[in-house]
Amino acid sequence: MRTLFFLLFSASCFAQTSPKIHLNQEGFYINAPKIAILTNIDNTGLFYVMGNNGDTVFRGQISAPEKSKNSSLICRTLNFSELNQPGNYRVFVPGTGSSYPFTISDHAYLKTATATLKGYYFLRASMPIEAQYGGQWSRPAGHPDDKIEIHPSAATDKRPAGTIVSSPGGWYDAGDYNKYIVNSGITMGTLLSAYEDFPAHFDKLKTQIPESGNQLPDIIDELLYNLRWMLTMQDPNDGGVYHKCTNAEFDGMVMPGVTKLPRYMVQKSTAATLDFVAVTAQAARVLRKFDKILPGLSDSCRNAAINAWQWAIRNPGLLYHQAELNKKFEPKINTGAYGDGNLKDEWFWAASELFVTTRDKTYELWIIDKLEGTVRLVSWNSVGLAGAYSMIRNEKNLPPNFINNLATIKTRVKEFADSLLSRQQATAFRTVMGGSAKDFEWGSNGVAANQGIALMNAYFITKEKKYLEAALSNADYILGRNATGYCFITGAGSRSPMHPHHRPSVADGIADPVPGLVAGGPNPGRQDGCKYEFTEPETSYTDDDCSYASNEIAINWNAPVVYLLNGLEFLLSQK
């Protein structure tokens, strides 16, 4: 029955969408929390949730005002968690308007979760994106990478400078067209972990890629495309791993394959090699399940990991310092550096994955030695937690004498998650993200998603629902409950980035950007020098392809969002 209240307002008023109502634009699970945030509106009355037919299905009290600690926004909470009827809805605030539409369903994230994994298909190098699979974003193949030069920085007796090697495939790293082992490392580790944690979900998930319908899950097919490239980056003569496969300079804003500049294998590094160790050791473990379909690949990955580990032992401190290399070698390389001066966490991650896969006590000693200081939020240069997660999820396969060490690791992961959880109620947007202004950095949406993964791991340890709901708050953040009002995944929600710093999306002449890609997010550092309308920590985002500091895409930001959304879809659709 329509309420008297609704009859007092015209249909046009209900239809007017207000950007001042910030909420998850994709939707909510039936029995999960449901919150929207009203900004800079002086209203303490009632709000309403309405169906498509105009019926009022819920009414609630607008909360008292609260100033955000990360901007000058004044926020009020609209809580409609009690609404658990599936359907399509909008939130309506008298005098303000209505929210973007959203759903309540058992599979609220499925479409977008699938799209974020499909996003990797669009980033494939060395192959065409066919219309059958890529729709309007089809394109010719770019960068065959079958003739890569050994850069002078990487020269050895057996592979002198100028030697031609082949390194096709893999994913373009970000908005540019280069391929970097360090960033591929944590990306692959996160996606492999997603499969390890939610195999029943991913075994059924179809993303409409060329390999769909074969005997492998689509996520494994996608991982194989980058894994096989990574294997080409290992020098077969000594086991070391080249830091990157790259142009000397970034390509312009053109489609892949337009430029024909030389590509180089650049210096081997300890960081790249240890990340490679971790990925190939984890892949060896995951791919055992598919030995009949992929004969020998698991063993090859295991051997590659051990050989790379032995190289790292012989070369424990070979760091990548691009500026220093450019003083010594030509051509100068000015693409992404991914330099890292502290490798303690890389040693820990690599040893953890090898230990879980091989149960060799040699690696256990490295884990114990490097444990201190490795429990920090995951990023490309902070990978220790990835090793902790792998040991926790594979607890049953670890030697019995490791139980005390594993208990310590679990405690530290839980304590880390507790430190995140404790900040949620202090944020005006009621998300874990934003508990500290430092959360808003380059790739802040990766921060939000990786916080969510940490909270989910605490849930796995404790089975306490509070951690899962806290992780859900960060999914809400990425999907629109944030100070910018954007759903940060291209092609998702009602208001998502249209102009990401991503060369194909800029150069293809298509209005809509390539879908399923996660924008970097608010970054008050604004290192790109572009014009930002808002500059406070949680609002310093601009939907402009100029903005590589806030609006670039990157494989290592997509990966934790793939994990978070698909993991929550699996866990919450079962409730």
Side-chain angles (χ1 to χ4, degrees), residues 280 283-285 287-288 291 294-303:
T280 50
R285 186 169 69 244
L287 296 177
R288 283 177 193 153
D291 269 344
L294 302 167
L297 184 55
S298 174
D299 289 341
S300 294
C301 287
R302 175 182 170 129
N303 292 336

